[in-house]
Amino acid sequence: MLTRHIRTVIPRLVPIRLSKACYSEQHQKERSEKPNESGTTHFGYETVKESEKWQKVHKVFEQVASSYDLMNDAMSFGVHRVWKDIFMERLGPIGGGNRLLDMAGGTGDIAFRYLKYLNNQQPEANQAANHVTVSDINQNMLDVGQERYKRLSITPKNCTVDWVCANAEKLPFEDNSYTAYTIAFGIRNVTHIDKVLSEAYRVLKPGGRFLCLEFSHVSNDYLRWIYDQYSFQVIPPMGQILASQWQAYQYLVESIRKFPKQEEFKAMIQDAGFKCVQYEDLTFGVCAIHSGFKL
């Protein structure tokens, strides 16, 4: 097959080390400790050392950062915008004093929706200021987001914004410091999902909400077959044509299949301490929104 031939000639991704410039001195020291070399995990369908996965994932997003939004539109025929709009509607920030941590939010899609949502509200007198922290482990993605922020000329009303390069498994934020935590299409790329959920729980204030938008699993057999054909036969070649990146998008479709199914992920969120955990399938389960509260 043509696709098999092309895949054999595309070079494999080469792991690189992420610059530590974007971390605080304290967290640089923590990450300089020797990682666990014995544990293994998945990078798509490939089995790798736990200490290598974040390097490989970082390389993927370093390569696709500049074409990330274009590829999202092409792969989903623009439907990802609807998913993200629904995601923000489910969060529904109201009034003042909201503090959102948008993790894996480098290009700003969720943060910009948050700002627009707040801008569309009529502020009350003496309303407390809102805030959003856009955080990502990849500085290249944050650079794209900040460029978009300037280009779109978004003027927040009564809301401050900061951009922080950080690892979702070990956040440089204080306990009980945010009222909401969002992560969209990012949690499947981490090495330890349980650590990310634990950190999300730690930084949320009591009563705070965790919301995750992520690719998930189609339950209908017929629809799943169609979805799989599209994913494996169309998306990687599309990535090669539009972004000169076959392997990065091959990893994308494989990582989706390795991510826990809806009920399993729900149980993981509950194990992290969250209450009232529920999920909502979008587009027949192509993606899902999971929600939980720190009570």
Side-chain angles (χ1 to χ4, degrees):
M1 293 177 62
L2 176 61
T3 55
R4 182 179 300 173
H5 173 70
I6 296 175
R7 287 173 60 185
T8 59
V9 298
I10 300 296
R12 297 180 67 83
L13 297 175
V14 180
I16 66 167
R17 292 191 177 277
L18 172 63
S19 169
K20 296 180 180 178
C22 59
Y23 297 108
S24 66
E25 184 176 346
Q26 175 186 354
H27 286 266
Q28 288 182 30
K29 182 177 180 180
E30 289 172 351
R31 288 174 179 80
S32 68
E33 297 174 359
K34 185 176 179 60
N36 177 14
E37 295 289 346
S38 61
T40 59
T41 187
H42 60 83
F43 175 73
Y45 289 161
E46 180 184 358
T47 299
V48 298
K49 293 179 180 178
E50 289 185 349
S51 58
E52 293 177 352
K53 180 173 179 176
W54 71 271
Q55 299 175 6
K56 288 177 173 286
V57 171
H58 176 265
K59 181 66 174 179
V60 165
F61 285 95
E62 182 181 61
Q63 292 174 325
V64 305
S66 61
S67 58
Y68 186 77
D69 295 312
L70 169 66
M71 280 299 299
N72 280 346
D73 280 332
M75 289 186 301
S76 71
F77 302 99
V79 177
H80 76 100
R81 297 175 181 270
V82 178
W83 294 337
K84 291 168 182 173
D85 288 342
I86 295 172
F87 187 57
M88 187 50 56
E89 286 290 335
R90 298 298 180 265
L91 176 62
I94 298 175
N98 298 289
R99 287 184 53 83
L100 170 66
L101 172 58
D102 181 35
M103 199 64 220
T107 60
D109 266 5
I110 301 303
F112 299 159
R113 282 170 169 77
Y114 175 77
L115 294 174
K116 290 176 182 177
Y117 195 97
L118 292 173
N119 282 353
N120 288 333
Q121 297 177 22
Q122 186 66 34
E124 300 176 0
N126 301 318
Q127 180 175 286
N130 296 299
H131 176 78
V132 57
T133 297
V134 186
S135 186
D136 202 294
I137 196 172
N138 194 303
Q139 186 62 49
N140 296 81
M141 298 291 281
L142 288 170
D143 291 343
V144 170
Q146 290 179 81
E147 238 353 273
R148 286 185 66 205
Y149 184 61
K150 295 175 184 177
R151 188 172 69 251
L152 294 172
S153 300
I154 299 173
T155 304
K157 296 179 182 178
N158 197 36
C159 186
T160 56
V161 183
D162 65 353
W163 305 77
V164 180
C165 188
N167 186 341
E169 296 185 17
K170 193 174 291 187
L171 295 172
F173 308 118
E174 296 181 359
D175 297 357
N176 308 314
S177 52
Y178 290 93
T179 60
Y181 176 114
T182 55
I183 183 166
F185 304 117
I187 202 166
R188 76 179 186 283
N189 297 309
V190 305
T191 304
H192 304 100
I193 295 175
D194 57 337
K195 290 184 179 179
V196 173
L197 295 173
S198 177
E199 280 291 88
Y201 188 88
R202 179 184 66 80
V203 301
L204 279 172
K205 295 181 178 182
R209 190 176 187 187
F210 168 86
L211 273 173
C212 176
L213 174 65
E214 186 55 87
F215 288 113
S216 199
H217 299 270
V218 177
S219 59
N220 181 279
D221 291 340
Y222 180 69
L223 292 177
R224 184 171 63 249
W225 183 86
I226 296 174
Y227 178 49
D228 286 346
Q229 296 306 306
Y230 173 74
S231 297
F232 287 96
Q233 301 300 325
V234 176
I235 290 179
M238 186 187 297
Q240 180 64 31
I241 293 168
L242 297 181
S244 300
Q245 294 294 332
W246 182 300
Q247 288 285 61
Y249 289 95
Q250 182 71 28
Y251 160 75
L252 167 70
V253 297
E254 292 177 358
S255 68
I256 293 170
R257 274 69 187 178
K258 298 294 289 185
F259 189 69
K261 292 184 178 180
Q262 288 91 321
E263 283 291 336
E264 183 182 351
F265 186 45
K266 175 183 175 181
M268 295 179 72
I269 298 171
Q270 291 171 327
D271 289 344
F274 289 100
K275 307 298 182 183
C276 304
V277 179
Q278 56 186 354
Y279 66 86
E280 172 186 2
D281 283 340
L282 302 178
T283 317
F284 307 105
V286 170
C287 70
I289 297 173
H290 280 75
S291 168
F293 292 85
K294 179 178 179 177
L295 300 177

